[in-house]
Amino acid sequence: MTVNQKQRYRFSDAPIWVLQRQYYEEEGLKAWNNDQVPQYITSNPMIATAYAEMIFGFLQDRANKGYGSEPVMIVELGAGAGRFAYHVLRELCRLRDYAGIVLPTFRYVMTDIAMNNVRAWKDHPALQAFIAEGILDFSRFDAIHDISLNLVLSDEMIRQGDLQQPLVIVANYFFDSIPQELLYIGDGQIYEADVNVEYLKHHDSMKPSELLDQIVLSYEHRLAPEYEQEIYPYRDVIAVYKEQLEDSYVLFPVVGLNCLERLNKLSQNGFLLVTADKGNHLLDNWKSAEPPELILHGSFSLTANYHAIQYVFKQRGAAALFPPHHYKSINVGCILNLEQTMGYSQTRLAYRRFIERFGPDEFFSMKVWVDRNLESMGLQQILSFWRLGGYDAEFFIQSAKRISSLISDMNDEEKQDLLTGIQQMWSSYYVMEQRYDLALDAGVVLFEMSMYEESKRFLEISILEEQDEVVSTVYYCLAICCFELELVKEALNYLRELLVLDPGHEEAMALLSLIKE
């Protein structure tokens, strides 16, 4: 491979971070098409419910402390496709309405570096009810520089000290994707691991994702005594690394910590951070750690250093909640940078119930198993997992074919449960940039269960939403639905539409003759 001469950078200044930003700004919501940038693990209804329960617990705690009159602001960093925010808000509103207790009002603010994403959220149909209620707003936010939030809808500027309630910060797949420093600890010394970057000579015409795929990284060490100076704000955690690590590379989240410091200043009373990432909070995970490798998915991600983040804020009196067991795919943590943290019992109990006991990491591990074994699962197993996952649309799409194969053996109660699940799923469906004809899958399954009225509803939605790609089978199923429902004129209309698309459709012609008789 022909490459340019090596160029050496401080890790946080390497061009990979510029490419990362360019990728998200250029792609917008298309970055999540085909799950190119992973979104399911942090955007499914199950993890959103866990977050909603913790936020609801926090609202109860604030009310119980006598701080119920001022609104609570919830800021999501890097809200991406918007699906997670939608599910959190939906569940949080359901909890609020179901409980019927006095709570502080709240406002959820979705943020991202890409203004194209902010504009897309503003127009998304699923978010309009929250906008109308005044509980959702948007802001562009740069984690490296911004010190305030400029809210798009309300045209408010949230500056230092403006918030009387603690700020709730949500950060999923965030700390692993913003610039980090890279340290090397060896022979009792702290080094910065500078990165040498090599890339193809003819790279000017490449997209950021293509260039990231071609870049070759290597590392060189230089002594970094500045990390041990009295004036360095994170000197204490560096001292722990120097004392307890050897021959170890450590990604150090200076940008992430600075971002939290700036957000902390927006409130007079601290923050609650709820965060999920491929991130290590145990010091042992950083022992003898190898140099980092870019995990590529259009953009890239690294490993988040939750150990440093929790250490810094625990020194200041915060409480940090992380699972007592090792995570497999995603680590969910909660940091209460608040006064009298033990007084936040409902928040801590919600973490225990919805993260520590059985949380998003365990759910995702089960999902991996289900993916491999779906074709051998029975209906009750499928329904149980679907219910556990909050009647998620992605799982239904994945399992629709298997469900269809089981319909002939279903009893009436199972069919009714399946119908209920489909209705629940549809009521909480968040359409992504890359559309999928979910209504068609639902309509076909209901048709196969002879639920003609319900099938007709979904198949007609499919036609309205996918006018350029309607398949003849949809019209045939609709014609039968109408025939069974004694809607003769509608049945005739659908048969005529079908015969325009497929003049030789024998079943349609036979049904047409039957109706005319």
Side-chain angles (χ1 to χ4, degrees), residues 30-204:
K30 291 184 175 64
W32 288 270
N33 283 3
N34 295 315
D35 214 25
Q36 180 171 254
V37 175
Q39 57 85 22
Y40 177 82
I41 192 171
T42 55
S43 296
N44 63 75
M46 190 274 177
I47 187 173
T49 295
Y51 276 53
E53 291 280 359
M54 285 186 282
I55 295 169
F56 184 71
F58 178 76
L59 295 175
Q60 291 178 81
D61 287 329
R62 293 302 292 175
N64 292 339
K65 288 175 176 290
Y67 300 108
S69 59
E70 293 296 325
V72 170
M73 180 171 287
I74 306 157
V75 174
E76 183 183 352
L77 304 176
R83 185 177 178 222
F84 174 79
Y86 166 74
H87 284 302
V88 170
L89 271 171
R90 184 174 182 273
E91 185 61 27
L92 189 56
C93 289
R94 292 174 71 185
L95 289 169
R96 175 199 63 188
D97 298 342
Y98 186 83
I101 57 179
V102 177
L103 295 170
T105 58
F106 57 86
R107 179 163 51 170
Y108 197 105
V109 180
M110 298 167 64
T111 76
D112 205 289
I113 187 66
M115 195 62 197
N116 285 339
N117 290 354
V118 177
R119 296 189 189 98
W121 302 329
K122 185 179 176 182
D123 296 329
H124 198 290
L127 301 177
Q128 298 309 304
F130 304 129
I131 293 172
E133 191 180 342
I135 60 173
L136 177 62
D137 214 322
F138 314 105
S139 178
R140 182 184 182 276
F141 183 74
D142 184 338
I144 300 176
H145 303 295
D146 286 346
I147 60 173
S148 60
L149 291 169
N150 187 5
L151 305 187
V152 171
L153 298 179
S154 61
D155 198 27
E156 292 180 51
M157 181 72 78
I158 309 298
R159 298 183 176 88
Q160 181 174 334
D162 281 352
L163 304 177
Q164 295 185 36
Q165 294 275 29
L167 179 66
V168 177
I169 303 169
V170 173
N172 293 340
Y173 277 171
F174 176 76
F175 294 109
D176 70 334
S177 301
I178 59 176
Q180 303 184 60
E181 306 300 343
L182 180 59
L183 307 181
Y184 174 77
I185 293 88
D187 302 322
Q189 299 290 331
I190 302 294
Y191 298 85
E192 279 220 54
D194 290 341
V195 61
N196 293 308
V197 178
E198 303 177 67
Y199 46 87
L200 291 173
K201 275 190 174 181
H202 305 292
H203 65 276
D204 293 342

Side-chain angles (χ1 to χ4, degrees), residues 275-323:
T275 179
D277 221 316
K278 183 185 63 176
N280 295 326
H281 69 282
L282 299 173
L283 184 62
D284 283 352
N285 292 127
W286 295 101
K287 290 181 177 178
S288 303
E290 297 291 326
E293 294 184 8
L294 304 186
I295 306 302
L296 298 173
H297 33 64
S299 58
F300 71 90
S301 59
L302 296 166
T303 299
N305 187 343
Y306 280 147
H307 174 269
I309 293 173
Q310 71 166 344
Y311 188 97
V312 167
F313 286 102
K314 283 175 74 173
Q315 276 196 316
R316 303 176 188 179
L321 306 176
F322 280 91

